[in-house]
Amino acid sequence: MPNFSTKNILATFLILFPIAVFYLVFQKYAVNIPHWDDFAIRNTLAKMLETNSFSEKIKLLFSQHNEHRILLTRLSAWVIYLLQGSLNLKSLMFIGFLALAGLLIIFFQVSKKYNSPLLAFVPVSLILFNVGLFENTFWGMASVQNFGVIFFAFLTFYWLVFSIENPYKYFFYLALFSCFIGVFTSSNGIIIPFIGCLILLVQQRKNQLFAWMGISVIFIFVFFFNFQKSPDNIVKTNFSDFRTIIKGLLATFGSVLDSSAITPNKHLDLAMALGLFLLIFVYLFAYQVIFKKYNLTQRTNDLFLLACLVFIGITSIGIVAARISYGIEILLTSKYKIYSVLSLIIFYIVALNSLAERYKNNFVQLAIFAGFVFNFYTYIADYQNIRYLNQERVTDQFKQQYSENSFPKQGIMQVLQQSEKAFYDSMIDEMRQIKDSTLQHLSVITKAENFVLTLQKTGEKIDLTSPESGIYFILKSDKNIYLYPSHIKPLGMRAYLDRDFLINNHLKIDNFTAEISKLYIQSGKYQIGTVKVENESKSVIWSTQTIDIQQIDKIRPKQNW
């Protein structure tokens, strides 16, 4: 029978609280506007709908996307189309949200196997559902792929490890199914069958090991059938620079510790320090599980967590190898932070269950406090990043509609990609007419590949209740018009702790800044203007300043999709 004690009711509320906050942020800022690889999902779905050949549909579902096979993403997009009549990318993002919820459920089941009290699970929810994961969360294709592959990897390990127990022998067959889905969700899913072999080897289950290996060979053969190396060879990794690669691995493991909002100069060092700590923990934990003999039940639980850590570790090595050539800072971005988040969660679970009983209660209370501080800090630190991402998507749609005139207007593409309502819909004519030139406090810095526009607003407050609120920069020439979002720089980090902001969303501003790349704009002489959006109020103000842009030809990465 469930225990409905006051303590458990409080624990349940605390577990659900960060999930609810995360969901509310998702609902507010997620928009159904394609971004980068989302267009590939749209195009493949269009081909699937246009062909009557069943074999061709299967071929498209399993076709390559760079170095990946993204069956799960394409299936999800297809199902969304069948249910909603269009490709709703916000629904695709929601499937990624469900994958995070699935990870929480897996950890909860493991926590029960450790006989941990419900209150001890609160820090897991606080760490996992943090808005620092915004880049994947608000990107349809990446949300399903990057969160989905982790969910199916961990689900496979859970079913496989615990299929050793008599009541759960059928878990082995479920593990084969989830392994198949994981392999064809993202390229790092190919690790899953190999880790499965290690699990069965450690558990000395020879008969099931041979069966697993035989079926895994089929999965791997299908994955690499007609496989083509990614044609994008613009930047290559220098593997001889061993020191930089090690630093990159440490940064990837420790990226959950994001101090960029407080001490940006120490951000990398602190992340690497945490990464080193977590890697030492992984080594010691692996040694314990593999070589030491102790309680069989706990060892089985530990084996599952170790399998997850191996998946995280190998994936992190792959990320470093593929991305370190773009600069070590890219490894600290939101897109790859999920692996550091999961490493920290596993460390917490292992540390909790390694403590003597008399210390556990104090450790849990400390972890809950630290979890709330971490969760709140990530919201403050990434608040303007989430807003910017939302506004960047909106201005991307503007670019398709008015700058490039490339928005689909007929056929299946029009059905799949439908425009989102935006603030500029009712003022596009006003934006095209230069009526005054009263904008002041605007500075323009010219760089090799971009222009930096800064509008100084020291001490002014702006109501940020609406996701679209803020300053947008207009560039208008005789032939073209472009719209750009701006980064909000508050009047110090304390502005986020101001009562007026926490209650009314009124933030004190230092400036609004936008970087205008010369790679994605037509050559010409452009006059600079701004659009200020604040709740229902919208206004256009032009400056007397102009910039001459000579477009830089971008070497676009080659693609196999």
Side-chain angles (χ1 to χ4, degrees), residues 263-533:
T263 56
N265 295 332
K266 296 293 183 180
H267 181 200
L268 177 60
D269 293 339
L270 291 173
M272 288 173 55
L274 178 60
L276 177 61
F277 173 81
L278 289 174
L279 281 174
I280 292 172
F281 154 69
V282 171
Y283 171 78
L284 295 175
F285 184 56
Y287 180 83
Q288 172 182 297
V289 175
I290 296 173
F291 296 107
K292 287 192 175 183
K293 294 183 178 180
Y294 55 103
N295 180 275
L296 183 60
T297 300
Q298 182 174 340
R299 189 168 184 257
T300 301
N301 299 340
D302 289 351
L303 180 60
F304 162 73
L305 295 178
L306 178 60
C308 295
L309 286 171
V310 172
F311 179 81
I312 292 169
I314 297 175
T315 299
S316 297
I317 292 170
I319 291 170
V320 173
R323 296 289 181 256
I324 191 69
S325 55
Y326 294 92
I328 196 170
E329 291 79 11
I330 199 172
L331 302 175
L332 300 173
T333 57
S334 170
K335 186 176 180 180
Y336 308 114
K337 196 173 289 186
I338 181 64
Y339 295 101
S340 181
V341 166
L342 293 171
S343 300
L344 186 62
I345 288 173
I346 294 173
F347 166 76
Y348 164 74
I349 294 173
V350 172
L352 174 65
N353 290 284
S354 300
L355 290 173
E357 286 296 327
R358 63 181 181 274
Y359 298 122
K360 285 186 178 182
N361 190 47
N362 290 337
F363 180 73
V364 168
Q365 292 177 14
L366 178 63
I368 291 173
F369 174 77
F372 271 105
V373 171
F374 167 77
N375 199 280
F376 178 73
Y377 169 77
T378 57
Y379 179 80
I380 296 299
D382 288 311
Y383 176 78
Q384 73 96 6
N385 292 326
I386 295 169
R387 292 189 63 87
Y388 182 83
L389 187 147
N390 171 276
Q391 295 177 3
E392 183 183 48
R393 299 290 192 271
V394 172
T395 54
D396 283 347
Q397 180 175 271
F398 180 93
K399 186 176 183 180
Q400 269 199 291
Q401 290 176 317
Y402 300 108
S403 304
E404 299 175 342
N405 293 316
S406 60
F407 199 88
K409 297 178 181 178
Q410 60 184 1
I412 188 63
M413 291 299 186
Q414 183 187 28
V415 173
L416 294 180
Q417 184 183 348
Q418 299 181 2
S419 63
E420 284 278 279
K421 291 182 179 180
F423 69 89
Y424 56 74
D425 291 335
S426 60
M427 58 186 311
I428 183 61
D429 292 335
E430 182 182 359
M431 292 168 62
R432 284 175 167 155
Q433 298 175 16
I434 302 175
K435 292 184 177 180
D436 58 42
S437 301
T438 61
L439 183 66
Q440 297 179 345
H441 309 298
L442 173 67
S443 66
V444 181
I445 299 175
T446 304
K447 296 184 178 181
E449 293 190 352
N450 58 42
F451 293 91
V452 180
L453 310 183
T454 302
L455 183 64
Q456 201 67 35
K457 292 285 185 179
T458 306
E460 289 189 21
K461 283 188 176 182
I462 186 170
D463 188 341
L464 298 177
T465 302
S466 167
E468 293 182 330
S469 293
I471 296 291
Y472 300 79
F473 289 93
I474 313 171
L475 294 187
K476 175 75 170 62
S477 71
D478 292 338
K479 297 180 179 179
N480 302 300
I481 183 169
Y482 293 88
L483 185 67
Y484 295 91
S486 65
H487 288 281
I488 298 173
K489 183 180 180 182
L491 195 63
M493 285 301 295
R494 290 185 178 180
Y496 287 124
L497 302 178
D498 187 86
R499 182 176 180 274
D500 202 19
F501 172 72
L502 294 175
I503 296 176
N504 301 316
N505 288 309
H506 293 172
L507 183 66
K508 284 185 179 180
I509 301 298
D510 181 39
N511 64 60
F512 296 91
T513 303
E515 292 189 9
I516 313 298
S517 174
K518 299 178 184 178
L519 298 174
Y520 305 103
I521 186 170
Q522 295 294 316
S523 299
K525 184 176 182 178
Y526 291 86
Q527 188 157 349
I528 305 171
T530 63
V531 178
K532 182 179 181 181
V533 180

